[in-house]
Amino acid sequence: MAKVLIIGAGPAGVSAALYTARAGTQTTVVYCGSGALAKAEIIQNYYGLAEPMQGADLAQAGIEGAKKVGVSFIEDEIVWIGMDDSFTRFVAEGSAGKKYEADSLILAAGARRSVPKILGITEYEGRGVSYCAICDAFFYRGKNVGILGAGEYALHELEMLRPHAAKIKLFTDGAELAVNVPAEIQVCTQKTAAVEGNKHVTGIRLEDGTVCPVEGIFVAYGSAGSVDLARKIGAAIDGSRILVGADMATNVPGLFAAGDCTGGLMQIAKAVYEGAAAGLSAVKYLHNRK
């Protein structure tokens, strides 16, 4: 039986897995920790949800549905991908050296946001700490928010928040500001010591002890796990996204990519569509190989 390996258990990866497994292909999803969806406080803008739903619950529901059609899930951090000695199969290596082989590979690990080592960041995920302004800006209408970051991604989040938030402050955590921000946006270049709150975020404490009141914090440090892996196997990259065709195929035969790692709108609906397209394309690729 042909094997498909999918890296990433978010909406794109799980959607791809549903299609490959239902086509009779042995499907394994390898993932490392929770993704952006699982960290979302509330999901309200997705088809089929009569009531708002926590991101973690929606993510888990997707995984459970895929398991019911035979998809295997393994928690491991993939650190390298390449080809076997015969150059006919893909090989992925986990953090402990475990090898995974497959006839086709789908990259769907998203555009990973690096989490700064600031006290309270992880504790308040989903309770005022967000990783996606386009997802959560609506919930901060008329509120004071902070953005952690100093580059293009921080600027993108800022522009998404401007129509909604009453006040926005950019915290660079000691880094040099790498972009031009609107004049009305206050920028703090001090080191950030901690995120403070009780049941929800209430402020950002700086290195000198000053506490800046905010009701929400958007983490805008960016790195792309899927892109880094794609580079290791020679897939074409454009900046921070993997280049794919309409069928989600990369320039490497048998390698597909879907979701945030392909750029564009970082939304569940787009990730689910691309995952479905990648899954169907992988099945077609394997069929044509016979």
Side-chain angles (χ1 to χ4, degrees):
M1 180 185 292
K3 294 183 179 180
V4 169
L5 178 67
I6 300 170
I7 300 176
V14 172
S15 178
L18 286 169
Y19 282 85
T20 56
R22 283 168 58 89
T25 305
Q26 184 176 326
T27 303
T28 301
V29 176
V30 180
Y31 67 101
C32 179
S34 58
L37 173 58
K39 294 175 181 177
E41 187 169 358
I42 294 292
I43 301 297
Q44 194 176 34
N45 59 336
Y46 187 62
Y47 177 82
L49 297 185
E51 298 293 336
M53 190 174 188
Q54 288 190 339
D57 292 339
L58 183 57
Q60 189 58 38
I63 290 172
E64 293 304 319
K67 286 180 178 178
K68 288 181 178 180
V69 297
V71 179
S72 298
F73 286 82
I74 298 174
E75 188 164 4
D76 193 2
E77 182 179 1
I78 299 299
V79 295
W80 176 85
I81 61 173
M83 304 295 289
D84 65 7
D85 293 339
S86 65
F87 289 93
T88 59
R89 304 193 84 197
F90 291 93
V91 179
E93 182 177 335
S95 57
K98 183 176 180 178
K99 298 288 197 307
Y100 305 88
E101 292 192 7
D103 302 290
S104 181
L105 178 63
I106 300 174
L107 293 173
R112 290 188 180 174
R113 286 78 165 173
S114 59
V115 180
K117 294 181 180 179
I118 297 172
L119 188 66
I121 283 282
T122 303
E123 179 184 350
Y124 286 101
E125 286 177 352
R127 295 191 293 139
V129 172
S130 173
Y131 293 82
C132 178
I134 198 171
C135 307
D136 296 334
F138 178 82
F139 303 108
Y140 291 89
R141 290 172 295 170
K143 297 182 179 181
N144 294 340
V145 300
I147 299 174
L148 290 176
E152 291 290 343
Y153 186 53
L155 182 61
H156 172 271
E157 297 295 83
L158 190 156
E159 292 300 334
M160 293 297 104
L161 286 163
R162 284 179 76 190
H164 303 279
K167 184 178 179 181
I168 302 170
K169 189 169 184 176
L170 186 64
F171 298 84
T172 71
D173 192 25
E176 184 177 346
L177 189 64
V179 292
N180 294 320
V181 300
E184 72 270 20
I185 303 298
Q186 187 176 357
V187 178
C188 175
T189 58
Q190 277 195 54
K191 292 284 289 183
T192 302
V195 172
E196 296 192 343
N198 36 60
K199 293 183 178 180
H200 200 272
V201 166
T202 58
I204 292 177
R205 176 159 48 87
L206 303 177
E207 194 176 44
D208 66 359
T210 302
V211 176
C212 302
V214 294
E215 295 164 273
I217 298 170
F218 288 80
V219 181
Y221 296 83
S223 62
S226 289
V227 171
D228 291 336
L229 292 173
R231 285 194 179 99
K232 295 179 187 300
I233 202 168
I237 306 296
D238 180 16
S240 60
R241 67 188 182 97
I242 301 171
L243 293 178
V244 293
D247 58 356
M248 311 316 297
T250 71
N251 60 310
V252 178
L255 178 68
F256 303 85
D260 290 356
C261 64
T262 64
L265 190 66
M266 292 187 179
Q267 292 288 279
I268 303 170
K270 182 254 193 189
V272 168
Y273 162 74
E274 289 192 353
L280 289 170
S281 295
V283 169
K284 183 178 180 181
Y285 166 79
L286 293 172
H287 177 77
N288 291 337
R289 271 187 43 165
K290 293 179 180 179

